Amino acid sequence: MSDESGRAVVADLCRIPNPEAIDRTTFVELGGVEQFVSIRGRNATNPVLVVCHGGPALPSLPSSWIWQRAVEDYFTVVNYDQRASGKSAANMNDEIDLSLDRYVADLEELIVWLQGELGVTKVGVLGHSWGTIIGVTLAERRPDLLWGYIGVGQVICGPENEGESFRHAVRSATADQNEEALAEVRALGEYPGMQPLTLERIVTCRKWAQYYGGLSAYRSDSAYFMESQELSPYYTDDELALIGAGQQVTIPQVLPDLLGFDARDQIVFDVPMLQFLGRHDWTTPTAPVERWIERVVAPSKDVVWFENSAHLCMHEEPGKFVVSLVNLALPHAVVAEFGE
């Protein structure tokens, strides 16, 4: 079967033919930049859940066909390609603002647009990885817009994350007697240390942390995730090529905000807080999240451990993922819409 045939099968699988469904795509101007938005759900009256993707500049929609269909039974799921990401990268220019505050403002503007477009008062935000920085910042600033916040692969402190990831790589390579890995990680010196935390140093650390299961549990690679976009019914080959182009522009500019982020004292929220943690996540390690969530004060807070997952629990344990959303997130949406 060719990629085109496979893509056609996946496209047919992902169709939502029932009349109550919603399946729309459009470009919405957010912060002066046209950004691609997908809205999908089995019933257009279901609560709205906005997915704030990671990367940076790695859209969630291309691989969403693996895990999202079951979520669409209970939520109207909104994916958007952040500025300079995915399909939105077609609108890049040299003057584009890639500051964290601008990303947060974009998400806020998107939610306001959804309120008018879908007739909802509040939405849920599900942040993944880099997207958790945007999502948790919005949750603190604009709780009035949200019925809940779900962090998946939450970032709490950039330098702490790097240190935890590095120690996992060293421990694992030592136990495995992997001289190649040990030579590369030891060449990083004290990490993150006082040297500039360059992209090259980060890539080396992540390479070995992820080789030892830090991205997908018990796997040395994540081809199923990385290559799933090739079968995406939502992107053409030309549009997929925009992902790499967007990353080249975005990552160097976003890196200071990513590494400088520190939410350890950002602990008071007026919105329900949920954390989905992969037990083997060494891409955004969980120890800083555990320390943080213990101190968080919120109307409610829940933590779900995905024992057979690392950084991609929606892909690795999709059944538990949707059950956890339905059991723990959906009630907050219902209360926000209909009251107690």
Side-chain angles (χ1 to χ4, degrees):
M1 178 182 289
S2 68
D3 282 356
E4 282 307 311
S5 297
R7 188 177 286 173
V9 170
V10 174
D12 190 44
L13 174 71
C14 292
R15 284 195 309 116
I16 318 177
N18 59 293
E20 303 82 14
I22 183 170
D23 186 358
R24 293 179 49 195
T25 60
T26 188
F27 280 86
V28 179
E29 185 175 310
L30 307 171
V33 176
E34 292 285 315
Q35 297 177 45
F36 179 74
V37 176
S38 163
I39 306 172
R40 288 177 51 88
R42 184 68 63 179
N43 190 313
T45 65
N46 281 340
V48 175
L49 181 65
V50 179
V51 178
C52 190
H53 69 71
L58 185 61
S60 53
L61 188 60
S63 62
S64 65
W65 63 270
I66 297 178
W67 63 271
Q68 187 176 292
R69 288 176 58 247
V71 180
E72 292 166 3
D73 288 347
Y74 302 95
F75 299 90
T76 296
V77 183
V78 177
N79 283 277
Y80 73 109
D81 291 3
Q82 297 161 14
R83 54 179 51 223
S85 302
K87 295 186 184 186
S88 303
N91 301 307
M92 286 189 301
N93 59 59
D94 293 340
E95 304 301 321
I96 193 166
D97 183 354
L98 295 176
S99 65
L100 175 58
D101 280 343
R102 184 62 259 170
Y103 280 100
V104 176
D106 283 353
L107 178 56
E108 181 178 344
E109 289 183 28
L110 173 63
I111 294 170
V112 171
W113 179 83
L114 289 167
Q115 288 175 324
E117 197 72 12
L118 301 181
V120 296
T121 56
K122 295 188 177 186
V123 308
V125 166
L126 188 154
H128 180 236
S129 198
W130 152 256
T132 66
I133 295 177
I134 302 169
V136 80
T137 303
L138 181 79
E140 183 182 49
R141 293 181 184 177
R142 293 298 309 272
D144 56 300
L145 297 177
L146 305 182
W147 51 252
Y149 169 72
I150 305 105
V152 183
Q154 181 71 49
V155 178
I156 297 299
C157 176
E160 273 197 350
N161 277 8
E162 294 305 311
E164 296 269 1
S165 185
F166 175 74
R167 288 188 285 275
H168 169 70
V170 172
R171 284 194 303 268
S172 301
T174 300
D176 193 31
Q177 298 182 336
N178 186 332
E179 295 303 324
E180 177 189 0
L182 286 170
E184 289 191 16
V185 293
R186 285 171 177 164
L188 296 174
E190 186 178 349
Y191 187 88
M194 300 305 293
Q195 298 179 51
L197 199 48
T198 63
L199 183 59
E200 290 74 20
R201 296 181 76 214
I202 293 169
V203 167
T204 298
C205 178
R206 295 286 175 84
K207 169 186 172 181
W208 292 110
Q210 294 179 355
Y211 178 82
Y212 287 108
L215 182 61
S216 293
Y218 315 114
R219 293 174 182 257
S220 60
D221 66 49
S222 299
Y224 73 92
F225 167 65
M226 300 298 188
E227 297 177 16
S228 62
Q229 62 188 22
E230 302 296 330
L231 293 176
S232 173
Y234 311 121
Y235 287 68
T236 66
D237 289 339
D238 288 344
E239 289 167 340
L240 288 175
L242 287 171
I243 296 175
Q247 288 178 321
Q248 287 183 342
V249 170
T250 300
I251 291 175
Q253 292 195 53
V254 167
L255 202 57
D257 275 337
L258 177 61
L259 297 175
F261 184 73
D262 190 345
R264 286 176 292 186
D265 293 326
Q266 191 175 324
I267 57 172
V268 178
F269 297 90
D270 291 326
V271 63
M273 302 291 287
L274 291 82
Q275 287 293 318
F276 289 1
L277 304 179
R279 182 67 71 180
H280 308 280
D281 190 349
W282 295 101
T283 299
T284 54
T286 57
V289 188
E290 287 187 271
R291 293 190 288 268
W292 171 78
I293 196 67
E294 266 196 22
R295 299 169 56 229
V296 162
V297 177
S300 68
K301 59 182 182 180
D302 290 284
V303 176
V304 181
W305 282 99
F306 289 77
E307 299 294 341
N308 294 301
S309 296
H311 192 57
L312 303 169
C313 60
M314 65 278 278
H315 297 268
E316 299 174 86
E317 295 180 72
K320 184 172 184 176
F321 190 83
V322 70
V323 167
S324 300
L325 282 177
V326 170
N327 287 341
L328 298 174
L330 188 58
H332 295 301
V334 172
V335 167
E337 189 67 26
F338 302 109
E340 295 291 345

